[in-house]
Amino acid sequence: MQTPSKSTKNRLRFVLGAIIFIALLLAARLVQIQIFKSEELKKGALEQWTKAIDIKPQRGIIYDRKGKKLAVSVTAYTVWATPAEINNPKDVAKEISKILNLDEEIIYQKLTKNVSVEKIKQWVTREEATEIRKLGIRGITVIDDNKRYYPYGNFAAYILGFTDIDNNGLYGVEKTFNKYLTGVPGKWVKTTDAGNRQLPYDGEKIYDATDGSSIVLTIDEIIQHFAEKAAYQALLEHKAKNVCIIVMDPFTGDILALANKDDYDPNNPREPLDESQKAEWDNLSQEELQNKWFEMWRNFAINDIYEPGSTFKIVTAAAALEQHPDILNAHYYCNGSVRDIKGVVLNCTAKHGSQTFAEAVHNSCNVAFVNIGRQLGKEDMLKFIKAFGFGETSGIDLPGEQKGIIPSGVDVIKEVNLATMSYGHGIAITPIQMIDALVTIANGGNLMKPRIVKEVIDNEGNVIQTFEPEVRRKVLSEQTSKTMLEILKGAIDDGTGVRAYIPGYRVGGKTGTAKKIIDGKYAQGKYIASFAAVAPVDDPKVAVLVIVDEPSGVYYGGTVAGPIVKSVLEDTLNYLEVPPIYNEKEQEKIEKMIVVPDVRNKPIGEGGKQLADLGLRYITEYQEITTESVILDQFPLPGVEVIKGSIIDLYLNKKPNAVTIMPDLLGKTNEEVIKILDDLNIQYNLKGIGRAMKQDPEAGTEINADENITVELVEL
């Protein structure tokens, strides 16, 4: 046998070494895969094998300060498809299109996509969901979903805001408190093969969603109704472009009401409420449509700026009084204009002659305030403008707040600028800044952070987080505050604000009328009328600001906004059970106090006569009524003492003695039942919570306004 040569042995050694080296590499790689990367690879494999569909959490409820639900989530359904599991997509598309009223071709394209799961339609009705489930089509699944619902339509729209189709907050507190309201999504998980077909051996798992927390607003639903009703009436009466009303608690900074008219319905935030406007929007391009949406969604109270006019005089007066307490003894002479500023003439509304500091406020005298501004000086004027919060955001928890426009420094304030700023021109502010300044004067001199949310609560009502009232800084002394309130009371009793006078309630306030600025110039014939008021001045409970943008005809703040302030203040103080205290002069005018009778459940003819016989008047919110229209509720409530001649608000059934058909409520949620029965304007009694399982009368029965409706609900 021939002995292997040396070269052959070397080749054998090389091959053996190479084999050993490769074996070691493979062994090392195997160890790396099996030991060091096993968890990572296992996770990757699971991700390939499993497919998941999000299960949306229930969004938290938004309550008013007394527990009234202003925004809720109602049950809806979403239809999903697993394309790989569908055997006859054309037949399936045809069946589903009939139920969902969708284009058959669009559904077919979705059913044949190369994806694991595909959404067919979101927010289908309960009836549609039931029909699809009855078909029992493999690869078609109906998942319980939820959508945001605002039970009172356009009520408090600029506070609440709205959400997108995925329940993410877009505007209002829905946006600013989205992280609390949203919750954590759940998952519907199933295992599939490479062709996206569900594997039979591992089944499927559902991981429940964690519902969002709820928030409690500072808004009082009743006071908000007062503000919205007054704003809407003013919008119609004065044919205005906008009307804004803010009601605030002076000592906590709580926003009790914030109303802007015209507004929108958060349930359909991209549709105007006005039918003629809807028709106009049908012809707009997408870009034009978006501009219209953004314009409609603007919250005038915080997103827009305006020249305050004479309401700003309370800031000038308070600042001058704080710096120079003896200014109360000063006298100012008004001959109708200021002519000593080079190149300009600044006019007053009248020739007031000689007047004290307080009288100058009562008369809203421009000439006097030019001189008060001069006494204050540029440095102190700018210092107090900033101290009162102008030129900075107030910190209110609503999106898009503007800072306003104030002088950047003392050096840019010329003589004419100081003069015009003293009576509220040449400066731009937001409504929320203006009422915050009034509140500062009313509460003893503390600038408050406006509060819109009181607390966050969990699903069981436990408080998770509280937002306490916050003082931003001290601006005025207690004495200055007290003196200013007395001066503002005089402006109501004897000055330009007399139309906001309410016997027994000691109202203090200031009117304002300013030309409107459009594109940087004063617009001819366009004005903003405003009125800021607080009551009672000796123990402030409520501050109110009313702004009427572009009123038609008469445009003076006292004439236009004064009656609105009176309406909101009177309703609110009565509701808060603040007792009127009459002075001797007022007492003489009151013939006697009358106890309001109970006229509920009576025909309007009978109830109206009973009120008239006692010397009381009444109003209703409906125009088309008959003598048989039934009174469902009244305000003030029975037993309250009012002055003879007072107005009683009566709330009627819309269709007296009208017969209607009892709807089918079975299976519907609390919110759905309430909405349906409220729309019918009938009285009802709900027992339990959850879904309606029993109703009396039965569906299809003829009912009228006097029917006793009972619905039993069970939590499933």
Side-chain angles (χ1 to χ4, degrees):
M1 182 175 178
Q2 186 177 2
T3 303
S5 66
K6 186 176 181 181
S7 61
T8 300
K9 289 179 180 180
N10 288 337
R11 283 195 296 272
L12 289 172
R13 289 191 188 99
F14 176 78
V15 171
L16 181 61
I19 291 171
I20 293 172
F21 178 73
I22 292 171
L24 289 173
L25 284 178
L26 291 173
R29 179 61 175 162
L30 189 60
V31 170
Q32 183 187 33
I33 291 172
Q34 292 288 347
I35 298 176
F36 296 106
K37 288 193 173 184
S38 60
E39 290 301 320
E40 180 182 343
L41 294 173
K42 187 188 297 182
K43 182 181 177 182
L46 286 172
E47 288 177 353
Q48 290 182 346
W49 297 339
T50 59
K51 305 299 177 186
I53 296 174
D54 281 343
I55 300 175
K56 289 184 181 177
Q58 194 90 342
R59 193 170 175 84
I61 298 169
I62 300 177
Y63 297 94
D64 88 325
R65 69 189 297 117
K66 293 190 173 178
K68 193 84 170 182
K69 293 179 181 179
L70 303 182
V72 298
S73 292
V74 296
T75 301
Y77 306 90
T78 299
V79 181
W80 292 86
T82 306
E85 297 181 8
I86 296 173
N87 295 324
N88 300 301
K90 276 196 173 295
D91 293 341
V92 172
K94 187 175 183 179
E95 289 289 332
I96 293 178
S97 66
K98 292 177 183 176
I99 297 172
L100 300 183
N101 195 27
L102 293 175
D103 185 88
E104 184 179 334
E105 183 58 30
I106 293 175
I107 296 179
Y108 176 75
Q109 290 174 6
K110 290 185 176 186
L111 297 180
T112 53
K113 272 188 179 181
N114 186 25
V115 292
S116 56
V117 288
E118 177 72 11
K119 185 190 295 182
I120 301 300
K121 186 178 181 181
Q122 189 169 10
W123 297 348
V124 302
T125 66
R126 179 171 174 269
E127 292 74 17
E128 290 171 335
T130 301
E131 288 298 315
I132 290 175
R133 282 170 172 162
K134 284 180 180 178
L135 294 176
I137 301 172
R138 179 177 171 80
I140 298 294
T141 308
V142 179
I143 298 292
D144 286 356
D145 200 348
N146 63 84
K147 64 180 291 188
R148 205 57 163 165
Y149 177 65
Y150 304 90
Y152 300 104
N154 61 327
F155 179 78
Y158 290 99
I159 299 166
L160 301 175
F162 55 90
T163 63
D164 62 15
I165 196 169
D166 294 317
N167 275 345
N168 297 309
L170 292 183
Y171 273 83
V173 293
E174 291 278 27
K175 179 177 181 179
T176 51
F177 284 83
N178 189 61
K179 67 177 181 180
Y180 297 102
L181 294 164
T182 300
V184 181
K187 293 284 185 183
W188 171 44
V189 182
K190 60 181 182 176
T191 55
T192 61
D193 62 14
N196 284 322
R197 292 179 292 270
Q198 184 167 351
L199 298 175
Y201 40 84
D202 270 337
E204 60 183 43
K205 292 182 180 179
I206 294 178
Y207 299 91
D208 292 331
T210 302
D211 293 342
S213 302
S214 298
I215 61 174
V216 179
L217 302 178
T218 60
I219 299 299
D220 188 303
E221 182 247 351
I222 300 296
I223 300 175
Q224 180 72 23
H225 270 299
F226 294 152
E228 297 221 358
K229 178 183 175 183
Y232 186 63
Q233 288 178 341
L235 186 77
L236 297 179
E237 181 180 347
H238 298 288
K239 298 181 176 62
K241 181 179 180 181
N242 294 300
V243 178
C244 174
I245 299 178
I246 307 175
V247 184
M248 196 169 179
D249 183 316
F251 289 93
T252 63
D254 284 1
I255 304 295
L256 302 177
L258 188 157
N260 295 315
K261 295 293 179 183
D262 211 357
D263 52 15
Y264 64 93
D265 184 349
N267 292 303
N268 298 291
R270 289 169 178 80
E271 289 185 9
L273 297 176
D274 184 79
E275 291 297 328
S276 60
Q277 214 172 26
K278 279 184 186 178
E280 290 176 14
W281 286 21
D282 287 342
N283 301 318
L284 298 179
S285 66
Q286 187 61 34
E287 184 179 350
E288 290 172 326
L289 205 52
Q290 286 181 340
N291 290 335
K292 290 290 185 182
W293 293 341
F294 294 141
E295 184 180 333
M296 183 172 66
W297 298 336
R298 286 186 69 82
N299 186 344
F300 182 81
I302 64 169
N303 296 155
D304 289 346
I305 58 176
Y306 73 107
E307 268 198 3
S310 293
T311 52
F312 193 78
K313 289 174 181 173
I314 65 173
V315 174
T316 304
L321 190 58
E322 180 74 8
Q323 291 297 91
H324 309 287
D326 59 347
I327 203 170
L328 278 173
N329 302 318
H331 279 72
Y332 303 90
Y333 185 81
C334 170
N335 63 1
S337 62
V338 175
R339 296 177 176 273
D340 59 352
I341 301 174
K342 187 177 180 180
V344 297
V345 175
L346 304 177
N347 294 315
C348 193
T349 55
K351 294 181 179 181
H352 297 109
S354 180
Q355 55 198 326
T356 65
F357 177 82
E359 288 170 338
V361 178
H362 301 167
N363 296 330
S364 195
C365 177
N366 288 350
V367 173
F369 269 88
V370 169
N371 290 311
I372 292 170
R374 286 169 173 171
Q375 286 177 271
L376 190 58
K378 294 189 293 184
E379 290 80 6
D380 283 340
M381 175 66 86
L382 185 58
K383 181 183 80 172
F384 275 97
I385 286 174
K386 291 181 176 179
F388 271 100
F390 301 107
E392 67 181 38
T393 57
S394 69
I396 187 171
D397 290 315
L398 289 172
E401 184 182 4
Q402 299 296 306
K403 292 182 178 180
I405 301 172
I406 66 170
S408 57
V410 175
D411 55 315
V412 302
I413 302 177
K414 308 303 180 187
E415 186 179 8
V416 67
N417 303 131
L418 177 62
T420 57
M421 276 195 302
S422 69
Y423 55 80
H425 288 253
I427 186 171
I429 66 174
T430 62
I432 196 68
Q433 289 174 335
M434 187 67 244
I435 195 170
D436 213 8
L438 174 65
V439 160
T440 302
I441 293 170
N443 67 20
N446 296 317
L447 180 69
M448 304 300 296
K449 175 184 175 181
R451 189 169 66 146
I452 199 78
V453 173
K454 288 178 62 178
E455 56 197 16
V456 180
I457 59 177
D458 64 19
N459 294 328
E460 296 178 356
N462 301 311
V463 177
I464 299 171
Q465 185 172 346
T466 300
F467 301 94
E468 298 293 341
E470 182 180 330
V471 177
R472 293 158 65 190
R473 54 182 165 268
K474 185 75 172 175
V475 180
L476 303 172
S477 66
E478 292 275 353
Q479 185 57 49
T480 298
S481 172
K482 184 177 179 181
T483 304
M484 279 299 304
L485 285 172
E486 283 301 317
I487 292 173
L488 293 177
K489 180 178 179 293
I492 300 296
D493 294 345
D494 306 308
T496 58
V498 67
R499 286 178 178 81
Y501 172 77
I502 307 172
Y505 278 121
R506 308 170 308 286
V507 180
K510 186 72 192 72
T511 62
T513 307
K515 282 188 176 181
K516 189 172 180 181
I517 296 177
I518 299 177
D519 296 329
K521 298 179 181 179
Y522 288 109
Q524 190 65 32
K526 295 186 183 295
Y527 295 86
I528 290 181
S530 59
F531 202 126
V534 61
V537 293
D538 52 351
D539 183 19
K541 301 294 185 186
V542 181
V544 176
L545 175 67
V546 172
I547 297 173
V548 182
D549 182 11
E550 294 186 25
S552 299
V554 178
Y555 54 81
Y556 293 109
T559 305
V560 173
I564 307 171
V565 165
K566 179 180 179 179
S567 171
V568 175
L569 269 179
E570 194 166 23
D571 285 346
T572 302
L573 291 170
N574 277 325
Y575 166 69
L576 295 176
E577 299 182 348
V578 178
I581 301 173
Y582 304 101
N583 58 34
E584 290 183 12
K585 186 177 179 182
E586 291 170 337
Q587 198 69 44
E588 290 174 2
K589 294 181 179 179
I590 302 170
E591 296 181 24
K592 62 178 180 178
M593 298 297 289
I594 298 171
V595 177
V596 177
D598 189 351
V599 295
R600 294 172 296 186
N601 299 317
K602 294 181 179 180
I604 184 65
E606 179 185 340
K609 185 177 184 303
Q610 186 177 352
L611 294 173
D613 289 345
L614 291 172
L616 299 174
R617 296 175 292 161
Y618 69 86
I619 59 172
T620 71
E621 57 184 308
Y622 306 118
Q623 295 180 351
E624 297 180 5
I625 60 175
T626 73
T627 55
E628 297 304 311
S629 296
V630 177
I631 301 169
L632 297 182
D633 205 355
Q634 66 181 81
F635 186 85
L637 293 171
V640 176
E641 287 191 343
V642 297
I643 303 170
K644 185 176 182 179
S646 293
I647 297 174
I648 310 301
D649 285 329
L650 301 181
Y651 304 94
L652 312 178
N653 59 330
K654 295 181 182 178
K655 297 181 180 179
N657 294 332
V659 174
T660 187
I661 303 299
M662 182 67 186
D664 184 2
L665 303 175
L666 299 183
K668 300 191 182 301
T669 63
N670 294 61
E671 291 78 13
E672 291 170 323
V673 170
I674 291 170
K675 175 67 168 59
I676 291 169
L677 296 180
D678 280 349
D679 286 345
L680 292 175
N681 214 23
I682 54 179
Q683 300 186 58
Y684 55 88
N685 180 32
L686 301 185
K687 296 181 179 180
I689 59 173
R691 292 188 177 275
M693 302 301 291
K694 186 178 180 181
Q695 66 178 75
D696 183 27
E698 295 181 352
T701 306
E702 288 189 350
I703 58 173
N704 57 46
D706 299 324
E707 198 81 31
N708 184 22
I709 309 297
T710 303
V711 183
E712 295 183 15
L713 302 104
V714 177
E715 192 167 1
L716 301 178

